[in-house]
Amino acid sequence: MKLVYKSTRSKDETVSASQAILKGLASDGGLFVPNMIPQLDVSLEDLTKMSYQEIAYEVMKLFLTDFTEEELKYCINKAYDTKFDTPEIAPIREADGAYYLELFHGSTIAFKDMALSILPYLLTTSAKKNNVENEIVILTATSGDTGKAALAGFADVEGTKIIVFYPKHGVSPIQEKQMVTQKGNNTYVVGINGNFDDAQSGVKAMFNDKQLADEMNKAGYQFSSANSINIGRLVPQIVYYVYSYSRLVKENKIVAGEKINVVVPTGNFGNILAAYYAKNMGIPMNKLICASNDNKVLFDFFKTGTYDRNREFILTSSPSMDILISSNLERLVYRIAGQDSEINAELMKSLTKDGVYNITDEMKAKLADFVGGYSDEAETAKTIKKLYEDTGYVIDTHTAVAAGVYNDYKQDSKDDTKTIIASTASPFKFTRSVMEAIDPAYASKTDFELVDELSKIGNVKVPQAIEDIRNAKVLHDTVCDVDEMQNTVKNWLGM
């Protein structure tokens, strides 16, 4: 059976992998999903002998079936090179009885680099394969990390432009400075007066606007996405779960075939969905533990079967998880609905109209792989402090949400399965929150004084991404209201 991509909201539309990457979002507003999850065709033992790049090829060739071996290896080798500050790409650090999968060794020190380093190459290769002559406009909303990683990936890539919208008052000072100092003639960064969900809804509305698409086409442009709604973002994320399992086997931490748990700090649901895909490809996993912060819409969903975004939006110290509409959950809901696009479309319509939907008991029973948990602000700070004091290891706020949830899960369940915690950002990206959690006395210091102090106490070098923005000039200072987003895009494109 040939692997093709279908929309989660329609039976009719099927596209190749390269077409799905180019389009980003299906024309009916649905997300592209593979018509099946392929099985790994190499053994767990063979994976232990492979590099990150080799494992990436073994995983991605199964999903991106219209790419040639040469095309795919070109994309992989261009992406996973010296822009990562460690040859392992995603090293594992053991601390306090868990394995922290460090996904922040790329050029913008967050896990988004793992996929956004390769997406520009997948996208430009897809454009060539499909004889696209329009300039591709990457349109993205960010809760903090995707924006910078996408900007860095697409800066000055021929045939592309990139526009990033972020919540002006909803990201960390370091995250904002990383974005607004971004160089590149094809980059544009806009703060919005609103939260991430507002930014994401505005971007989705532009993707679904047929009149805008016609205007863009006449002007020689077409939209694509760098958000995790793009299958070209999701597939590369599967790789690091396969890789991390193989490393635990290689280092004799587990035996091949032994099940592990995975804990993921979760916002838009793409990262944990990638773990779910890895499990369904044949990686032995037991529980997928979905960790939320105070915006615990996913925790409530796994507990009750009701998804309800009608609640207060809380700004936290883990801003990349400050999300009430977790877009990628739609891919999971479609799967537990028996890949019934009509059922899924009705649920998503209810979410748009009323802000809530309910799944059936039969669908809920198919969520047995998942465990939901949440960690509030006080517990997150406590987790950072305790782990540092006990081990000397410093983690960021998002990773601390996951670690806090894991500690609660382990205590409640008595489950001693070996566990990987996805460490999604460098502590240097959220220095103030991290350092004040360790000692409130740090509150009087400036952001960059805290950077140097963190380097000292954690015994780690300041990442180049931070050094680059110390004295960097602000190049993007546009701010707009949510209802001005479309005009802002058109003005920048000269339409």
Side-chain angles (χ1 to χ4, degrees):
M1 188 177 173
K2 191 183 172 212
L3 190 139
V4 292
Y5 287 84
K6 302 193 295 192
S7 167
T8 51
R9 300 188 193 180
S10 145
K11 289 180 187 159
D12 305 326
E13 188 175 10
T14 61
V15 295
S16 67
S18 63
Q19 288 166 335
I21 290 168
L22 273 174
K23 285 168 78 77
L25 198 64
S27 50
D28 55 21
L31 307 188
F32 286 116
V33 285
N35 62 329
M36 60 175 176
I37 296 179
Q39 294 298 294
L40 279 166
D41 55 10
V42 288
S43 70
L44 297 174
E45 286 82 1
D46 285 345
L47 288 170
T48 64
K49 304 180 187 104
M50 294 182 187
S51 66
Y52 191 92
Q53 293 84 345
E54 288 166 332
I55 290 175
Y57 177 71
E58 293 300 329
V59 171
M60 292 171 69
K61 73 176 187 187
L62 301 174
F63 284 94
L64 309 182
T65 51
D66 64 331
F67 282 68
T68 66
E69 180 178 349
E70 185 186 6
E71 286 168 341
L72 197 46
K73 285 184 173 174
Y74 165 79
C75 294
I76 289 165
N77 292 330
K78 280 288 193 183
Y80 304 113
D81 60 7
T82 52
K83 71 173 76 66
F84 287 84
D85 64 16
T86 169
E88 305 99 314
I89 307 296
I92 295 172
R93 174 80 178 260
E94 190 174 353
D96 195 31
Y99 297 97
Y100 287 82
L101 174 61
E102 294 187 342
L103 299 172
F104 52 76
H105 288 275
S107 56
T108 76
I109 56 175
F111 82 101
K112 308 293 171 81
D113 287 324
M114 303 301 295
L116 281 162
S117 295
I118 194 168
L119 184 61
Y121 298 103
L122 294 176
L123 196 65
T124 49
T125 302
S126 297
K128 281 186 199 134
K129 291 174 83 64
N130 290 276
N131 303 312
V132 170
E133 291 179 8
N134 283 343
E135 193 159 13
I136 294 163
V137 179
I138 304 298
L139 186 63
T140 289
T142 185
S143 54
D145 288 339
T146 287
K148 174 59 183 179
L151 288 161
F154 281 95
D156 293 323
V157 170
E158 200 176 328
T160 69
K161 290 186 185 298
I162 176 163
I163 305 171
V164 169
F165 289 97
Y166 74 96
K168 176 67 185 161
H169 303 291
V171 298
S172 80
I174 297 279
Q175 283 178 312
E176 182 171 48
K177 189 149 190 205
Q178 279 189 302
M179 288 188 280
V180 298
T181 57
Q182 177 65 52
K183 294 176 181 171
N185 293 327
N186 64 338
T187 63
Y188 192 45
V189 180
V190 184
I192 66 152
N193 296 314
N195 60 39
F196 169 73
D197 289 336
D198 296 324
Q200 182 167 254
S201 297
V203 163
K204 277 189 165 182
M206 283 188 264
F207 269 102
N208 292 331
D209 189 324
K210 302 283 188 286
Q211 187 183 331
L212 179 59
D214 288 343
E215 287 178 56
M216 296 268 297
N217 190 42
K218 281 177 189 148
Y221 297 118
Q222 68 187 63
F223 282 137
S224 189
S225 170
N227 278 77
S228 55
I229 54 174
N230 192 318
I231 201 73
R233 265 283 302 276
L234 186 61
V235 169
Q237 290 181 269
I238 301 166
V239 174
Y240 49 73
Y241 291 110
V242 177
Y243 175 80
S244 58
Y245 187 90
S246 77
R247 293 312 96 164
L248 291 185
V249 175
K250 184 177 184 178
E251 291 162 20
N252 299 314
K253 307 293 185 187
I254 57 173
V255 295
E258 183 180 345
K259 286 190 173 182
I260 60 167
N261 290 335
V262 174
V263 191
V264 186
T266 308
N268 218 16
F269 208 76
N271 200 359
I272 195 164
L273 185 70
Y276 176 75
Y277 276 30
K279 176 173 181 168
N280 281 273
M281 290 183 82
I283 294 300
M285 292 181 184
N286 183 31
K287 292 298 180 189
L288 303 173
I289 301 167
C290 177
S292 297
N293 63 15
D294 279 316
N295 294 291
K296 57 188 180 68
V297 64
L298 288 164
F299 168 76
D300 293 339
F301 171 72
F302 285 115
K303 194 174 174 187
T304 65
T306 297
Y307 192 96
D308 186 357
R309 67 174 173 89
N310 299 315
R311 62 183 72 203
E312 182 192 356
F313 184 96
I314 302 167
L315 291 174
T316 74
S317 62
S318 46
S320 299
M321 299 162 68
D322 291 346
I323 293 172
L324 295 181
I325 305 172
S326 298
S327 286
N328 271 290
L329 186 64
E330 180 172 346
R331 287 185 164 115
L332 180 65
V333 168
Y334 171 77
R335 190 168 169 85
I336 62 172
Q339 305 198 75
D340 189 318
S341 54
E342 283 179 25
I343 291 174
N344 180 70
E346 277 304 310
L347 292 171
M348 296 308 132
K349 191 173 164 189
S350 175
L351 181 64
T352 303
K353 184 168 165 280
D354 304 317
V356 64
Y357 63 79
N358 296 286
I359 62 171
T360 64
D361 288 343
E362 187 186 2
M363 289 167 73
K364 196 178 173 202
K366 293 178 185 172
L367 294 175
D369 288 336
F370 292 89
V371 176
Y374 77 95
S375 179
D376 63 21
E377 286 290 86
E379 188 182 358
T380 300
K382 196 170 141 192
T383 301
I384 293 170
K385 182 179 175 70
K386 186 171 187 315
L387 188 65
Y388 170 68
E389 288 177 345
D390 290 352
T391 68
Y393 187 46
V394 184
I395 55 174
D396 92 294
T397 45
H398 303 73
T399 308
V401 169
V405 165
Y406 174 59
N407 292 338
D408 291 345
Y409 168 78
K410 201 162 57 164
Q411 196 173 330
D412 295 344
S413 67
K414 309 296 184 233
D415 180 0
D416 60 0
T417 303
K418 305 234 174 81
T419 297
I420 281 177
I421 294 175
S423 185
T424 52
S426 164
F428 286 96
K429 203 151 191 169
F430 304 92
T431 331
R432 182 162 297 283
S433 298
V434 169
M435 294 302 282
E436 287 182 18
I438 290 171
D439 187 344
Y442 285 122
S444 60
K445 293 188 180 288
T446 67
D447 287 320
F448 283 100
E449 283 172 344
L450 290 175
V451 161
D452 295 327
E453 197 64 32
L454 172 55
S455 174
K456 201 190 303 175
I457 68 157
N459 197 27
V460 277
K461 192 179 167 208
V462 176
Q464 193 57 46
I466 300 294
E467 295 293 4
D468 288 345
I469 63 168
R470 253 187 218 269
N471 302 304
K473 188 179 163 196
V474 171
L475 302 173
H476 306 273
D477 57 6
T478 304
V479 178
C480 77
D481 290 333
V482 177
D483 59 6
E484 295 171 335
M485 287 171 66
Q486 185 174 130
N487 282 337
T488 303
V489 169
K490 287 166 81 168
N491 289 341
W492 185 62
L493 294 174
M495 289 167 58

